[in-house]
Amino acid sequence: MVRLQDIAERAGVSLMTASKAMRDGTDVAAQTRARIRLLAQEMGYVPNSMAQGLRNRKTRLLGLVLSTVSNPIFARTVSAIEEAAHEWDYDLILTHTLNSPEREEACIRRLLARSVDGLLIFPVYRLAPTAAIYDVLGQRQTPTVILGQRAPFCAQFPNVESDDLAGSQQMTRHLLELGHKKIAYLCGPPGAPWAQDRLEGYRRALREEQIEPDDRLIFTAGASMEEGEKAALQMLNESVSMTALQAVNDLVAMGAANVFLQQGVHIPGELSVAGFGNILMSEHFRVPLTTMRQPKLRLGAAAMEIMQKLLNGEQSESRRLSAALIIRASTAALKS
């Protein structure tokens, strides 16, 4: 392994001069800096980041805490975060909570033990107003950005989120404009603020048209394709009278649509179906899915803009980005 001392000896300079040159120190002549850096490259020198971290108390590590990277909604957001980290010369440590509060705490504590400079967290939502591990982050003043809506237990940290309430409201308006009055809704996890916002958006759009939301058309699904399938089977068993179905996300919408298609229901001729999120699969579904496009890349970029301010010791405000309606083949005007 090539040491900085080896480069200094080859260049005929002191170790301190070589060190300053590698750190682009202005008190070393530009020509000398260039010569030493070129020599370091030729010799295959790799700086010891751990040693540098000990000197400046920075590890250049960021922790990213997600429920699971297999969730397609995260793919582009993680890509934007990783790209920004790469540009800043930071490394990213990815951990999975699997939606378990206990595992989430273990993941965060392990990242803190690695002395990460900051944390980006998609939280495990719980109904409790406090969570001990988030109190720890606040006490340590660890730069922390919440990915998604804030809940009481993580309200002290800045966040990035899509405007889920307005997006869901716009989707319901789209279905209403197509002539649908009996619009069923598949809810997400009851403890998740984003799911609550999307349900509220649906209700508000109905009330705008003087249609009182009917609890018999609202079903708890969850967030996965399998949960969408189960909810659709329940709707079939209960012989729900509806002409359109709006789901909390694309996975739930596609799971439900699969069941109805298997039962011979024509989409959108007999039933319009809409999702939320615009994951890649939605465009290539059996019946391309009408959905709300979340600004996933921009959410990741915004999260890193906030993180950069926090790392610099600055205050930063939260960001809310709007979603956009994407109309595809799964929704159509109600047949008279």
Side-chain angles (χ1 to χ4, degrees), residues 280-323:
L280 181 61
M281 293 166 57
S282 66
E283 185 177 1
H284 304 286
F285 184 58
R286 294 163 64 183
V287 183
L289 188 67
T290 293
T291 185
M292 296 301 300
R293 181 176 61 207
Q294 287 179 283
K296 294 177 280 293
L297 275 173
R298 289 194 292 126
L299 284 168
M304 290 301 278
E305 289 170 5
I306 293 174
M307 177 59 72
Q308 189 171 45
K309 287 187 175 182
L310 297 179
L311 292 172
N312 291 335
E314 304 171 21
Q315 297 292 321
S316 182
E317 295 183 354
S318 295
R319 299 277 299 277
R320 177 180 292 165
L321 306 179
S322 60

Side-chain angles (χ1 to χ4, degrees), residues 123-244:
V124 177
Y125 291 110
R126 62 269 267 170
L127 297 176
T130 61
I133 190 59
Y134 287 90
D135 293 338
V136 169
L137 294 177
Q139 292 162 5
R140 292 172 60 110
Q141 297 186 329
T142 302
T144 301
V145 181
I146 301 300
L147 303 172
Q149 279 84 346
R150 289 184 293 184
F153 65 85
C154 59
Q156 61 182 304
F157 305 106
N159 75 313
V160 294
E161 62 181 78
S162 61
D163 194 339
D164 290 319
L165 191 153
S168 182
Q169 192 171 5
Q170 185 178 1
M171 179 58 76
T172 308
R173 285 173 182 157
H174 165 66
L175 295 171
L176 290 165
E177 288 167 0
L178 292 174
H180 297 283
K181 304 290 185 185
K182 295 182 178 180
I183 304 170
Y185 189 85
L186 297 184
C187 302
W194 56 268
Q196 296 170 3
D197 282 354
R198 294 177 195 180
L199 175 58
E200 179 59 23
Y202 158 81
R203 285 175 166 154
R204 287 191 187 184
L206 290 176
R207 289 186 177 123
E208 285 176 349
E209 297 298 316
Q210 285 72 53
I211 301 173
E212 189 60 28
D214 186 347
D215 288 342
R216 293 172 297 180
L217 293 178
I218 300 174
F219 292 79
T220 299
S224 70
M225 189 172 288
E226 293 76 15
E227 289 167 318
E229 292 172 351
K230 290 178 182 177
L233 289 171
Q234 181 184 353
M235 299 173 90
L236 286 168
N237 289 334
E238 296 182 13
S239 300
V240 175
S241 177
M242 61 182 174
T243 63

